Amino acid sequence: METEVELMTRAAQLSALDKRSMQLRGLVVRALVGGGRGHIGSSMSLIEILRVFYDDILRVRAGDPTWADRDRFILSKGHGCLAQYALLADKGFFSIEELDHFCRQSSFLGGHPEFGKVPGVEASTGALGHGLSIGLGMALAARMKKAAWQVYVVLGDGEINEGSVWEAAMSAGKHNLDNLTAVIDYNKIQSYGFTENVQPLEPLADKWRSFGFSATAINGHDVNALRQLLSSLPIQKGRPTAIICHTVKGKGVSFAENNPSWHHKSNLPPDQVAEIYDALERKT
Amino acid sequence: MRKACLNSIFELAQMDERVVFIGSDLGPGTLDEFRHEIPDRFFMEGISEQNVIGMAAGMAMEGYIPFVNTIATFLSRRCYEQVAMDLCLHNLPVRLVGNGGGLVYAPLGPTHLAIEDIAIMRALPNMSVVSPCDAEEMRRFIPSTLEHPGPIYIRLAKGGDEIITSPVNNFQIGRAVVMREPRKVVIISTGIMTQRALKAAEILKAEDVECGVIHMHTVKPLDFDALAYAAQKAKIIVTVEEHLMTGGLGSAVTDYLASAHWERFPMIKKMGIPDVFPGEYGSQDSLLQSFDLTSESIAAAVRSSMVEN
């Protein structure tokens, strides 16, 4: 009999992608080509999560990225920034053409997102295990200010090997911060290989629950399910939320899916870029 | 000094709603008055320094001015990446208040000795490093932090240190205090080494050797004007610190002097802790003595430098 994790993982693998999801993936590839490198696998698993956040959940203004009452969104797994750049460009925080300059010397779009450079980026991340603590501070600040905005932090599954994440989780639980949500991109692959072999995380939802969170698991490529869940937070009043998104690393590019060697790529030859575009075409 | 520091933070918090206090796991009763009077801005987060720094960063991003307090070693070594990335890279107004700078925790051994804290904090862009010498100076310093834009590492001494500064020495971050006018010999010191430097100057005066003393409470940004002034007047500069000789005040002074293009260069003698983890216990005073960081050893160093010069 399949375990819940196996069932959810299979559902994520079988999830069909619509035109918008493929168009956003096209933007990721465009930036990848622009910079000649990038964490492609780590970005592709994030697309539906970020799409639903920016399309349906986050109260943010592209023309006024530091608007005081905005929701705070932190991509703690900063290496997945190609996905965030695609969404921010798509939403008009900056022009789509900027993606062509990804990682170039004078560009503001680096290999990890930086606060103060990229409109819409709340914190410089890239060193792992920092985002949840920063989000915790923001959520406590919202409480002190009696402000209504929400704080969302997206973490990688490999990232949560870091002990600092669990320090932050313990503190969020203690403070009953129901304005803070941690979203885990559980694509099951970290740099060296499968999380199950490098540092097993199960039982993952129970871990978060034991730190004082309300936790649930979801197919991280199911746009409707994500929309429904993210628009009805917190799961439980008086508790922070953890959402474990079962995803597929490299989702949308068939030959990169679930393949640890596609975590990061550099020096992609033109024919391989064409193959990626072909793979995306075939999915639509 | 610690009490003066924490009380000053409380007074600042009463005056300014942006001021927040975050402790890790401090002694029972620490700042109880703060906790009772302003509970919303008082946090005790447990032994989790990495998280505490990130949390302070998040608050600072939202306009708060957090003062984070714990033992200096754990505030510097344990969470160095958080200090570098969350505080310094974002250039946020978080104040790190490190208890027991230097050899204060001598009986507790090397795990608790903050002897490289100035070096590693000084290495970070945007970080300021301040090491006051007495409680009165600390009282003048804390209010001056309010509008300082970036992070500050504040090194606390043991407490009960002799008061040698006065309100005449209006505190300004990055502005050295000239305790005795520069002469042929100038001693530059930070923290509680300034008390010893002054005593050394008195010992030498009795021998008709006039000695300047500059109290460099701010190791970063270093007061280049005061240094240039001293270097022009002095033939001998002695730096004294309760810190490794690697990377601290002495290094900051020599880094600056080496970058200057003067015809005449003073002789420089660095006094501090050698490149070792102290292997003995005892007390702060006894360890300072074993590392030759007493008034008498400073005076002796000046004498021998004068013979060489």
Side-chain angles (χ1 to χ4, degrees):
Chain A
M1 205 175 104
E2 281 184 309
T3 63
E4 191 199 339
V5 173
E6 286 163 347
L7 278 170
M8 296 293 276
T9 304
R10 199 150 57 84
Q13 280 163 353
L14 294 174
S15 255
L17 301 175
D18 65 11
K19 202 172 163 191
R20 175 151 175 75
S21 277
M22 298 321 284
Q23 174 246 335
L24 290 167
R25 282 180 170 77
L27 293 180
V28 169
V29 180
R30 180 168 172 173
L32 189 79
V33 171
R37 60 177 300 143
H39 284 90
I40 176 169
S42 324
S43 299
M44 292 304 191
S45 60
L46 278 172
I47 293 289
E48 281 65 44
I49 300 168
L50 266 62
R51 164 188 168 179
V52 171
F53 265 117
Y54 282 96
D55 281 358
D56 305 298
I57 304 298
L58 294 178
R59 287 168 300 171
V60 289
R61 295 175 178 170
D64 185 10
T66 56
W67 170 47
D69 293 328
R70 73 195 182 280
D71 290 329
R72 273 60 168 171
F73 177 89
I74 298 172
L75 182 65
S76 191
K77 54 166 283 189
H79 58 287
C81 61
L82 283 173
Q84 193 180 18
Y85 294 166
L87 262 306
L88 290 172
D90 174 79
K91 290 291 174 190
F93 281 80
F94 50 82
S95 78
I96 284 180
E97 286 68 40
E98 197 57 44
L99 296 173
D100 299 329
H101 304 135
F102 173 62
C103 280
R104 303 274 176 89
Q105 184 144 349
S106 57
S107 175
F108 59 78
L109 300 179
H112 293 98
E114 282 195 65
F115 167 78
K117 283 189 179 172
V118 189
V121 166
E122 298 281 356
S124 301
T125 55
L128 296 174
H130 291 238
L132 192 58
S133 295
I134 294 173
L136 166 77
M138 289 174 165
L140 286 165
R143 178 179 283 181
M144 286 190 275
K145 287 170 190 266
K146 299 184 173 51
W149 38 264
Q150 302 293 303
V151 183
Y152 303 98
V153 182
V154 173
L155 302 113
D157 48 8
E159 174 179 17
I160 63 175
N161 295 170
E162 290 282 6
S164 56
V165 172
W166 300 99
E167 290 183 3
M170 197 157 23
S171 187
K174 164 188 146 179
H175 289 290
N176 309 311
L177 287 172
D178 58 12
N179 58 350
L180 176 67
T181 299
V183 177
I184 296 94
D185 177 17
Y186 195 11
N187 61 32
K188 326 253 174 358
I189 297 176
Q190 52 196 113
S191 181
Y192 183 75
F194 291 91
T195 55
E196 197 184 342
N197 301 325
V198 177
Q199 184 58 271
L201 298 169
E202 291 298 333
L204 189 52
D206 285 345
K207 279 195 173 73
W208 288 95
R209 285 186 194 112
S210 72
F211 279 75
F213 281 63
S214 282
T216 192
I218 190 171
N219 172 359
H221 298 300
D222 184 337
V223 171
N224 289 328
L226 281 167
R227 198 178 286 137
Q228 202 177 353
L229 176 60
L230 293 175
S231 56
S232 58
L233 298 178
I235 295 175
Q236 194 180 340
K237 204 164 163 39
R239 278 178 189 267
T241 299
I243 301 174
I244 292 152
C245 293
H246 288 271
T247 58
V248 176
K249 195 139 181 164
K251 178 79 177 178
V253 182
S254 51
F255 53 87
E257 284 186 2
N258 241 345
N259 183 347
S261 69
W262 282 85
H263 171 77
H264 179 271
K265 281 287 176 191
S266 51
N267 303 317
L268 279 177
D271 55 336
Q272 207 157 27
V273 172
E275 279 175 36
I276 297 173
Y277 277 123
D278 280 351
L280 288 177
E281 285 287 318
R282 282 198 298 278
K283 284 268 180 177
T284 46
Chain B
M1 183 190 282
R2 179 170 166 233
K3 205 158 179 257
C5 179
L6 296 184
N7 286 340
S8 302
I9 294 168
F10 176 42
E11 284 164 19
L12 211 57
Q14 288 172 307
M15 280 163 33
D16 194 308
E17 289 190 341
R18 295 172 297 168
V19 174
V20 170
F21 181 81
I22 311 174
S24 58
D25 185 28
L26 304 174
T30 302
L31 277 180
D32 261 352
E33 226 181 330
F34 192 135
R35 183 165 61 89
H36 288 306
E37 204 169 301
I38 323 174
D40 293 356
R41 288 185 275 138
F42 180 93
F43 297 88
M44 194 62 67
E45 292 305 302
I47 306 157
S48 56
E49 293 81 7
Q50 298 178 73
N51 175 55
V52 162
I53 299 298
M55 175 178 145
M59 289 179 178
M61 286 171 181
E62 301 301 340
Y64 288 96
I65 304 174
F67 283 76
V68 181
N69 178 217
T70 188
I71 292 176
T73 48
F74 310 131
L75 202 48
S76 52
R77 294 179 199 149
R78 185 52 173 257
C79 45
Y80 194 58
E81 188 182 83
Q82 278 76 10
V83 171
M85 295 293 101
D86 302 350
L87 305 188
C88 294
L89 179 61
H90 292 85
N91 199 17
L92 294 170
V94 173
R95 285 73 181 96
L96 305 176
V97 182
N99 297 347
L103 300 164
V104 168
Y105 291 121
L108 303 183
T111 57
H112 284 57
L113 300 181
I115 54 173
E116 77 291 288
D117 54 336
I118 291 175
I120 63 177
M121 287 297 169
R122 181 181 155 249
L124 296 172
N126 294 330
M127 179 62 85
S128 295
V129 178
V130 179
S131 177
C133 65
D134 65 35
E136 288 304 313
E137 182 170 57
M138 182 61 84
R139 280 197 190 91
R140 286 191 296 278
F141 161 52
I142 293 296
S144 80
T145 63
L146 204 56
E147 301 305 332
H148 186 82
I152 310 173
Y153 175 71
I154 302 167
R155 190 192 219 215
L156 297 189
K158 187 177 183 179
D161 308 287
E162 186 191 345
I163 305 294
I164 52 166
T165 62
S166 78
V168 181
N169 313 125
N170 189 22
F171 197 98
Q172 202 179 331
I173 296 169
R175 181 65 58 87
V177 178
V178 177
M179 308 293 286
R180 292 172 80 109
E181 267 302 309
R183 301 295 183 106
K184 186 182 164 191
V185 179
V186 177
I187 306 171
I188 300 174
S189 54
T190 191
I192 59 148
M193 285 298 106
T194 299
Q195 278 88 334
R196 290 162 194 247
L198 281 177
K199 283 209 174 69
E202 277 160 29
I203 294 170
L204 291 162
K205 189 179 164 64
E207 300 163 15
D208 283 335
V209 177
E210 288 291 345
C211 212
V213 176
I214 293 178
H215 172 47
M216 203 63 87
H217 51 64
T218 308
V219 181
K220 187 185 176 187
L222 201 61
D223 186 343
F224 295 149
D225 291 342
L227 259 183
Y229 178 60
Q232 292 302 304
K233 285 209 152 190
K235 277 194 163 174
I236 299 162
I237 287 181
V238 180
T239 63
V240 194
E241 60 197 309
E242 187 187 6
H243 185 273
L244 294 179
M245 277 184 276
T246 314
L249 172 71
S251 297
V253 168
T254 49
D255 283 355
Y256 168 71
L257 293 179
S259 70
H261 302 283
W262 297 319
E263 283 177 18
R264 192 182 58 79
F265 227 81
M267 177 189 172
I268 298 162
K269 163 84 183 160
K270 279 165 72 173
M271 298 184 74
I273 300 167
D275 189 20
V276 295
F277 289 105
E280 296 175 317
Y281 304 105
S283 68
Q284 180 186 25
D285 275 341
S286 68
L287 278 192
L288 284 171
Q289 193 155 1
S290 64
F291 289 122
D292 273 340
L293 291 169
T294 63
S295 311
E296 193 43 64
S297 347
I298 298 168
V302 170
R303 276 184 219 112
S304 64
S305 301
M306 289 178 76
V307 172
E308 291 167 34
N309 221 292

